[in-house]
Amino acid sequence: MSTDTFNWHDFLHRWQEEWVPRPDEDDEPLVVPLNRPGADEAVIAAAEERLGQRLPPSYREFLAVSNGWYVEQAAGIYRLGGAADIDWFRDPFDMTPLYEEGLGHDPREEEVLLAGMWRRALRLETDSDMSYALLDPGDTDQDGEWALYVHKGWSGEFPDRYPSFRAYMEAMYRSFHGDRAGSPEFVNATTRAQDARVDEAHALALHGRYEEALPLLQEALSFGRPRSGVLLSQLRHLLAPHDQQGYGLLGADPRYLPEILPVEAMAAAGRGARRPDHDDHWVGMMTARGAARETVEAVLGAVSEGTHRYAPRGPWGRAVAEARESALWGATDAAWRVLRDALPLWEPPGPLLIAPVGLLADPVLGPLITPERGRELLATPRAGGTGPAPEPVPDLDPPGLSWLAEPAAYRQSFDAYRCVWVEGTDPGRLPALIGEEGAELSAPTDPDTVARRAPRPHEREGVELWEDRAVVAVGRADASWSFAFDGYAHHYLSDLSLSPAVAASASGRAVAVWRDPRGSSWADRPAAFHLSVAERGEELYAFTVRGTEIRRSGVIPEALDPARLFHPEDGGEADAERRLLDALHTELGVSLPRFALTRGRLPTFTTRSWTRAPGPGEGFAYLRFEGHRP
């Protein structure tokens, strides 16, 4: 609404013409005089002489048109006074010392301005509920406008700041509209214009022109127009997929419930840290909006347990199912390409949906929607919209394995990792090959939860203290190899360590690697790296490198010769690790999907122990640290 030219007469006249009581003020008269006759120049000049300072431009212009205004309880302020009513605030409640004490050693400029505002501000309101409208001559812009602060004395909050008196009045006008937006009889030129903007934004969004739709919806929302909020929430959610958005009553509408209710449940489900009181509150809130309690509880449970499936109908639904099958085993780039190609086929279940936000709640597909991909999705014409396709977002997974040696590219806890690859075997068979008794694949799980689920021997009955069972993420590296990856190894590589490669190779070839970093608890213990390759139950070759010591067995291919790869004259440990990882990819064809392992969701299972039982004369140590409150 703000433009370079502004007509106070037209603005205030429109406000007066549009005035109707709020729904909770039916006892008010049908017409309220919001304004008073404007003050002439002599009256304004007299006020400036009394105050000892010229008033800022927009407030001066306002007084010339209306010498005061009824703002009807906006932020607790009922009426703004005229030229003869205003006076200096003079900080009657000693707010200045309170705000100065909170400045700290390196305060921001806005904090300094706010602390000094109380003693120099001009007070405008003449009727309020312990609230004050304060113009600050010390907080000005290049046009000579003074910032206006609204202090709600009963709230305990910081004052709301507006860059000028005009900005404040425009905000109050929008608030006036927002308070009445739900009333069917509140129809006027402004509401019709804003609703037209919503219609335009809706069409632009489906044509992939979301950047043009955003400001239209933001302005319409500031006027409280119906539909603007729910449309804007969809755009904002896909632009910032990790930020929760509210969808109001949309989640209870049968047309949208399968898409929206799971998205709403994501915040309640959290990251596995559910609390019964929070769950009950959310369920009650959703049922109050009109959704069936049984449905709400079922959706919350599925989202919390990672078993929810986004399952739309039609061609788009078939593409979603195909993409999930790829992403379920780690092929997230391939999954996104399937979704991207099918986006034009997406059809909304009703007019209030402009994007497939239901993707975000799918535990397998949701993590694929990065902010960059969210922008690509929104820029793709869909649901009959036309326009050019956006430039594709580059794939996120680097080839091979060398990314494991680049700490900046993934989570720091992958300093220690171990992995088993099995050739020609479906990932679903890995629990039977190397899993503990009764092991089964879990629902897709995020990496942080995998780390928390890693079992400790003292926590599980029937598990010996020397055992090192791991919770591994399972996937498919490419068409040939399946993998089981542990990025949170809790035990160090020792003489009791036992490679699972032999057990994994029952029907083909298997490769196992284990990186044990230099430990902070053992300052003199160098980092170690183990590789073993087996086929059909027999180890073909293996080596373990710790510092300058190399142990080897079998006939090791020249490309994987540890003496060449770990030569001390060719760089440090990180360089040697990178050379080995590159050699493994080149020689054996193994790889790992970085995105799925660091930000995605993969099935998991618990393996058998990666250490063997101590033999005669062998020992082991198991350390357990517990904290006690004093």
Side-chain angles (χ1 to χ4, degrees):
M1 175 169 184
S2 297
T3 60
D4 292 335
T5 60
F6 187 77
N7 189 306
W8 276 102
H9 180 273
D10 291 348
F11 171 66
L12 298 176
H13 178 72
R14 181 168 65 251
W15 193 341
Q16 177 70 74
E17 287 292 310
E18 293 173 351
W19 192 92
V20 296
R22 291 198 308 265
D24 59 347
E25 289 185 337
D26 292 337
D27 57 335
E28 291 287 333
L30 292 179
V31 178
V32 168
L34 305 182
N35 65 332
R36 298 195 313 205
D40 59 33
E41 178 62 26
V43 172
I44 299 174
E48 291 175 329
E49 184 176 358
R50 171 172 57 86
L51 298 170
Q53 191 153 356
R54 183 176 176 84
L55 296 172
S58 65
Y59 185 54
R60 245 183 154 272
E61 294 165 6
F62 161 78
L63 291 175
V65 176
S66 178
N67 194 23
W69 193 260
Y70 174 60
V71 287
E72 52 153 6
Q73 302 183 36
I77 293 174
Y78 305 153
R79 181 169 286 281
L80 299 175
D85 305 310
I86 59 177
D87 203 351
W88 298 113
F89 185 55
R90 297 188 177 89
D91 195 9
F93 308 111
D94 287 329
M95 303 296 289
T96 302
L98 179 65
Y99 277 76
E100 287 179 342
E101 288 174 5
L103 288 178
H105 297 295
D106 187 22
R108 301 190 304 273
E109 181 182 1
E110 55 267 30
E111 293 174 326
V112 175
L113 288 171
L114 178 58
M117 179 270 298
W118 306 98
R119 289 176 179 166
R120 62 177 179 254
L122 184 65
R123 177 176 174 176
L124 304 186
E125 87 293 334
T126 58
D127 188 12
S128 71
D129 179 14
M130 294 181 62
S131 297
Y132 309 93
L134 306 173
L135 273 175
D136 181 11
D139 186 353
T140 62
D141 64 14
Q142 67 275 13
D143 298 321
E145 294 289 354
W146 303 0
L148 188 147
Y149 291 85
V150 174
H151 173 53
K152 300 179 284 289
W154 39 265
S155 72
E157 301 172 353
F158 284 98
D160 296 324
R161 181 188 181 276
Y162 302 86
S164 67
F165 177 78
R166 173 186 160 188
Y168 165 73
M169 289 293 282
E170 289 181 308
M172 294 307 99
Y173 176 64
R174 291 190 292 268
S175 176
F176 155 79
H177 266 266
D179 288 344
R180 293 157 176 78
S183 301
E185 66 274 12
F186 187 63
V187 179
N188 49 60
T190 301
T191 61
R192 287 189 288 268
Q194 292 300 326
D195 289 342
R197 285 182 170 86
V198 175
D199 292 337
E200 182 184 359
H202 184 279
L204 287 169
L206 294 182
H207 288 297
R209 296 161 61 182
Y210 74 93
E211 292 177 303
E212 299 172 60
L214 275 169
L216 296 176
L217 291 173
Q218 288 165 345
E219 182 178 6
L221 181 62
S222 72
F223 283 85
R225 298 316 301 157
R227 299 181 296 138
S228 60
V230 72
L231 298 181
L232 187 59
S233 289
Q234 295 169 63
L235 300 185
R236 286 174 171 171
H237 209 166
L238 287 166
L239 292 172
H242 300 296
D243 295 345
Q244 190 62 29
Q245 296 289 332
Y247 291 92
L249 299 177
L250 204 64
D253 188 315
R255 293 174 295 176
Y256 309 107
L257 184 149
E259 187 118 12
I260 297 299
L261 190 60
V263 176
E264 294 266 31
M266 293 170 64
R271 297 177 66 86
R274 294 176 60 190
R275 287 175 48 184
D277 54 339
H278 289 174
D279 289 358
D280 291 343
H281 174 76
W282 184 82
V283 169
M285 183 171 61
M286 292 298 114
T287 54
R289 294 177 181 177
R293 186 176 187 88
E294 296 79 7
T295 301
V296 173
E297 290 176 340
V299 168
L300 179 59
V303 171
S304 301
E305 295 162 9
T307 57
H308 169 68
R309 291 171 64 94
Y310 173 55
R313 298 178 180 179
W316 168 247
R318 291 191 289 273
V320 167
E322 179 185 346
R324 181 185 293 104
E325 183 62 23
S326 294
L328 180 64
W329 303 115
T332 56
D333 286 331
W336 173 247
R337 288 193 291 271
V338 170
L339 293 174
R340 179 176 64 200
D341 293 343
L343 271 173
L345 304 176
W346 175 79
E347 292 290 342
L352 290 181
L353 213 61
I354 54 176
V357 292
L359 279 169
L360 298 172
D362 190 291
V364 175
L365 298 176
L368 273 60
I369 313 301
T370 62
E372 295 78 14
R373 285 172 170 169
R375 288 194 292 272
E376 183 179 4
L377 186 157
L378 292 175
T380 301
R382 54 200 178 275
T386 59
E391 187 72 21
V393 172
D395 286 349
L396 300 180
D397 274 336
L401 295 169
S402 60
W403 63 268
L404 285 167
E406 299 170 1
Y410 63 92
R411 297 172 184 236
Q412 188 175 357
S413 50
F414 281 4
D415 282 353
Y417 59 84
R418 49 193 174 182
C419 184
V420 181
W421 290 268
V422 183
E423 190 175 25
T425 298
D426 188 86
R429 289 198 59 224
L430 296 185
L433 293 174
I434 60 174
E436 66 179 7
E437 185 177 355
E440 295 180 349
L441 291 179
S442 73
T445 308
D446 71 271
D448 287 341
T449 302
V450 172
R452 293 195 296 270
R453 288 181 180 174
R456 309 309 199 266
H458 69 275
E459 296 173 343
R460 300 183 62 194
E461 184 177 353
V463 178
E464 301 291 341
L465 291 180
W466 51 264
E467 291 193 66
D468 176 17
R469 304 188 187 191
V471 175
V472 290
V474 180
R476 187 178 289 112
D478 55 32
S480 301
W481 296 91
S482 296
F483 67 84
F485 180 81
D486 171 23
Y488 304 89
H490 296 287
H491 288 237
Y492 68 90
L493 192 61
S494 71
D495 292 338
L496 299 182
S497 297
L498 180 66
S499 169
V502 172
S505 68
S507 59
R509 193 167 47 155
V511 179
V513 299
W514 186 340
R515 183 182 190 273
D516 175 14
R518 185 186 302 273
S520 59
S521 299
W522 293 273
D524 57 345
R525 180 173 65 85
F529 202 103
H530 171 82
L531 167 69
S532 53
V533 179
E535 187 170 4
R536 300 194 178 277
E538 297 288 338
E539 184 176 272
L540 300 180
Y541 55 88
F543 67 76
T544 300
V545 178
R546 183 177 295 281
T548 59
E549 178 188 2
I550 299 177
R551 297 182 183 182
R552 62 171 73 208
S553 62
V555 180
I556 300 173
E558 181 180 359
L560 298 175
D561 184 355
R564 182 177 66 86
L565 296 171
F566 288 85
H567 197 283
E569 296 179 359
D570 293 333
E573 294 172 356
D575 292 331
E577 178 189 2
R578 188 176 296 105
R579 286 194 296 271
L580 175 60
L581 293 171
D582 287 339
L584 284 171
H585 175 58
T586 301
E587 182 73 12
L588 301 177
V590 294
S591 61
L592 284 172
R594 181 177 70 185
F595 187 91
L597 289 170
T598 58
R599 298 165 63 183
R601 304 289 187 274
L602 292 172
T604 68
F605 72 91
T606 303
T607 69
R608 297 194 285 270
S609 177
W610 288 61
T611 56
R612 60 174 176 79
E618 293 180 320
F620 75 97
Y622 180 83
L623 302 179
R624 174 183 175 185
F625 298 94
E626 292 186 355
H628 297 279
R629 293 182 178 180

